[in-house]
């Protein structure tokens, strides 16, 4: 593991918490220092421009095709991207693929909503079935009570 030391005092830095915020003036001076890109070797960069260089300009950094959002699997260096774009098989299909991807995403959302609704209906169905079973049992109990009352009525009629 490479040991990092402070550019100001040369002390070994073990944690970012050890670092002290530098003054804005010193920060501006540091930002103007020339640095070399560790990817492409460009040594004409200023420290402040390094992130933009890596994210937007470095020719040797790996990038995705501009049609990656419509599933182009191409990934190579930024300098190769210019050669790929005219031959990309996905780019001419952008409008139709983008529409299909969007529709597919909407269908997936609808599917999930219907799946949730289906689960809720299954639960409600189970509740209704349980209620039906309870009502059937109650009906049987009432039928038995009706028969018993009928027998009691007959006995009363015989006794009178």
């Amino acid at each position: 593991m490479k040991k990092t030391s402070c550019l100001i005092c040369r002390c070994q830095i073990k944690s970012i918490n050890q670092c002290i915020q530098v003054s804005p003036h010193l920060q501006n001076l540091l930002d103007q220092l020339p640095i070399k890109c560790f990817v492409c070797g460009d040594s004409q960069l200023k420290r402040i421009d390094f992130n933009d260089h890596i994210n937007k300009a470095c020719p040797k950094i790996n990038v995705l095709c501009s049609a990656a959002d419509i599933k182009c699997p191409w990934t190579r260096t930024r300098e190769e991207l210019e050669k790929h774009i005219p031959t990309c098989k996905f780019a001419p299909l952008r409008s139709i693929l983008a529409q299909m991807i969007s529709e597919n995403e909407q269908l997936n959302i609808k599917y999930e909503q219907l799946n949730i609704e289906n689960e809720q209906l299954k639960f409600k169905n189970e509740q209704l079935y349980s209620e039906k079973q309870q009502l059937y049992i109650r009906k049987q109990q009432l039928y038995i009570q009706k028969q018993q009352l009928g027998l009691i009525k007959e006995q009363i009629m015989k006794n009178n």
Side-chain angles (χ1 to χ4, degrees):
M1 184 172 146
K2 186 177 179 181
K3 294 185 179 183
T4 307
S5 60
C6 176
L7 296 174
I8 310 245
C9 68
R10 303 284 185 218
C11 291
Q12 183 180 350
I13 299 174
K14 296 178 184 172
S15 163
I16 192 69
N17 296 331
Q18 287 180 303
C19 296
I20 299 170
Q21 184 82 25
V22 296
S23 71
H25 178 70
L26 181 57
Q27 183 70 45
N28 288 339
L29 289 172
L30 290 172
D31 285 344
Q32 298 307 312
L33 288 175
I35 62 166
K36 180 178 177 180
C37 176
F38 61 87
V39 180
C40 70
D42 183 353
S43 59
Q44 302 298 312
L45 299 173
K46 290 181 181 176
R47 181 178 172 268
I48 196 168
D49 298 328
F50 181 71
N51 284 337
D52 279 345
H53 169 77
I54 289 294
N55 294 326
K56 299 176 185 171
C58 183
K60 300 292 184 187
I61 199 87
N62 280 343
V63 295
L64 299 174
C65 172
S66 55
D69 62 324
I70 55 171
K71 310 301 183 200
C72 178
W74 186 92
T75 302
R76 293 205 185 86
T77 62
R78 185 173 277 116
E79 66 188 354
E80 293 177 81
L81 180 61
E82 290 180 29
K83 296 174 195 166
H84 167 73
I85 290 177
T87 63
C88 178
K89 293 177 176 146
F90 289 81
L93 303 171
R94 173 172 288 289
S95 61
I96 189 73
L97 284 176
Q99 181 182 356
M100 290 172 70
I101 289 168
S102 175
E103 287 173 7
N104 189 45
E105 289 170 353
Q106 290 173 3
L107 287 171
N108 282 334
I109 290 168
K110 185 67 174 172
Y111 171 79
E112 289 301 321
Q113 290 170 341
L114 289 172
N115 209 13
I116 290 168
E117 184 180 345
N118 187 38
E119 291 301 317
Q120 291 170 341
L121 289 171
K122 282 181 184 178
F123 180 74
K124 183 67 174 173
N125 190 37
E126 289 172 6
Q127 285 180 320
L128 290 171
Y129 182 77
S130 177
E131 287 177 27
K132 176 187 162 195
Q133 292 294 86
Q134 291 171 359
L135 288 172
Y136 179 75
I137 291 169
R138 182 69 181 136
K139 177 183 168 188
Q140 293 297 333
Q141 291 170 342
L142 290 172
Y143 179 74
I144 292 169
Q145 286 177 353
K146 179 182 172 187
Q147 286 180 332
Q148 290 172 344
L149 287 173
L151 291 173
I152 293 171
K153 181 179 176 184
E154 281 179 24
Q155 286 178 351
I156 292 174
M157 296 284 261
K158 282 183 187 179
N159 291 337
N160 285 339

